[in-house]
C-alpha cells in the first residue's frame, strides 16, 4: 500500500538496515518524551544534551536491538542511562517539578477565572510537595503521572524491575500524601487568629 505511514516496527527495521530517514522519523516521534525523561533524571541544561546523546547511542546500538521488541522502552532506557551518567558526573540540577508540570492544552471549554485560580493554586501546592520529596520519589512520581509512562517504560527509564517500580511508586505516593497533609496542617495553623476566637 503506497503512501501509508510506516508503523514503529517497520521504521525500526529500516533504521537497523541503515536508513537514517526512518530513524529521523523515530527521533521526531520520541524527542519530547526523551527530553522529559532526561529532565526527570538529570535536570537542567543536561536534559537536552542527554536526550540527544541518547538518540546517537541508540542509533549505534540498533544492530543489537532485538527485532520485534518494543522500541520506546529500549530507547528510554538508553536516554535514562545517559542522563544518570551526566548527573553522576556532577553537573548542576535545576528544579524538576516546575518544568515537567507544564500546563497541557485541553479540548474542553476554558475554565472560569475562579476555577483556573483554584487549579493553579492546587497545582502549585502539589508541585511544592513533590519538590520536597527525595530524588527517587520525585523521579518515580514524575515518570508515572507527568510523563505518563507504563510500568515497563518506567522500569526501563529508572533502571529497575517492574516489581520495584510498583513498590517505589507506592512508597513515594505515601510520602507525597504525608507531605500534602503536613502542608495542609501548616496552612491551617497559619490562618488561625492569635489568641483564639474573639
Amino acid at each position: 500500500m503506497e503512501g501509508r505511514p510506516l508503523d514503529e516496527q517497520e521504521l525500526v527495521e529500516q533504521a537497523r538496515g541503515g536508513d537514517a530517514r526512518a530513524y529521523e522519523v523515530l527521533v521526531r516521534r520520541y524527542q519530547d518524551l526523551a527530553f522529559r525523561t532526561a529532565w526527570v533524571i538529570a535536570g537542567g541544561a543536561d536534559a537536552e544534551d542527554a536526550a540527544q546523546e541518547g538518540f546517537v547511542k541508540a542509533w549505534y546500538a540498533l544492530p543489537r536491538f532485538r527485532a520485534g521488541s518494543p522500541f520506546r522502552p529500549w530507547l528510554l532506557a538508553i536516554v535514562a542511562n545517559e542522563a544518570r551518567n551526566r548527573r553522576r558526573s556532577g553537573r548542576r540540577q535545576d528544579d524538576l517539578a516546575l518544568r515537567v508540570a507544564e500546563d497541557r492544552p485541553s479540548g474542553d471549554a476554558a475554565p472560569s477565572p475562579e476555577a483556573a485560580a483554584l487549579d493553579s493554586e492546587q497545582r502549585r501546592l502539589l508541585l511544592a510537595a513533590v519538590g520536597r520529596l527525595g530524588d527517587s520519589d520525585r523521579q518515580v512520581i514524575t515518570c508515572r503521572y507527568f510523563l505518563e509512562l507504563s510500568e515497563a517504560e518506567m522500569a526501563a527509564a529508572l533502571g529497575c524491575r517492574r516489581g520495584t517500580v510498583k513498590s517505589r511508586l507506592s512508597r513515594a505516593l505515601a510520602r507525597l500524601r504525608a507531605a500534602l497533609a503536613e502542608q495542609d496542617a501548616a496552612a491551617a495553623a497559619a490562618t488561625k487568629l492569635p489568641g483564639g476566637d474573639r
Side-chain angles (χ1 to χ4, degrees):
M1 181 176 207
E2 203 60 38
R4 75 171 173 81
L6 298 175
D7 72 13
E8 182 177 279
Q9 291 301 320
E10 292 170 319
L11 288 168
V12 170
E13 285 308 308
Q14 287 182 8
R16 288 181 73 203
D19 185 342
R21 288 183 188 214
Y23 191 66
E24 181 182 345
V25 172
L26 291 167
V27 168
R28 277 191 307 234
R29 185 175 291 176
Y30 294 118
Q31 65 188 3
D32 289 341
L33 182 58
F35 173 77
R36 291 190 318 251
T37 300
W39 185 277
V40 166
I41 295 167
D46 287 339
E48 187 172 344
D49 292 341
Q52 289 177 0
E53 186 65 24
F55 278 117
V56 170
K57 287 183 176 182
W59 168 256
Y60 288 111
L62 273 173
R64 296 188 308 273
F65 178 76
R66 195 172 70 231
S69 297
F71 179 75
R72 190 167 102 154
W74 179 80
L75 172 66
L76 291 179
I78 293 171
V79 169
N81 284 337
E82 181 62 26
R84 273 192 290 277
N85 290 341
R86 286 174 181 272
R87 183 165 179 204
R88 280 187 204 118
S89 71
R91 304 223 175 155
R92 74 180 185 92
Q93 180 179 10
D94 293 333
D95 182 18
L96 147 77
L98 294 177
R99 175 75 175 160
V100 174
E102 294 175 346
D103 288 333
R104 295 189 184 141
S106 170
D108 299 334
S112 69
E114 296 84 6
L118 181 59
D119 284 349
S120 177
E121 178 63 11
Q122 288 174 333
R123 183 179 304 110
R124 186 189 67 72
L125 292 172
L126 176 63
L127 291 176
V130 170
R132 286 192 303 277
L133 296 174
D135 285 346
S136 177
D137 291 342
R138 221 176 24 246
Q139 287 175 8
V140 73
I141 286 173
T142 301
C143 282
R144 178 65 189 102
Y145 296 104
F146 295 124
L147 301 179
E148 300 176 351
L149 301 182
S150 69
E151 284 180 7
E153 291 166 336
M154 288 172 64
L158 297 172
C160 60
R161 293 185 302 227
R162 286 178 69 168
T164 305
V165 164
K166 286 182 179 182
S167 62
R168 278 179 61 184
L169 183 58
S170 176
R171 287 191 303 270
L173 288 173
R175 285 190 274 272
L176 178 59
R177 280 192 281 288
L180 287 169
E182 185 179 296
Q183 191 171 279
D184 288 345
T191 60
K192 288 186 178 180
L193 293 174
D197 295 335
R198 295 188 186 235

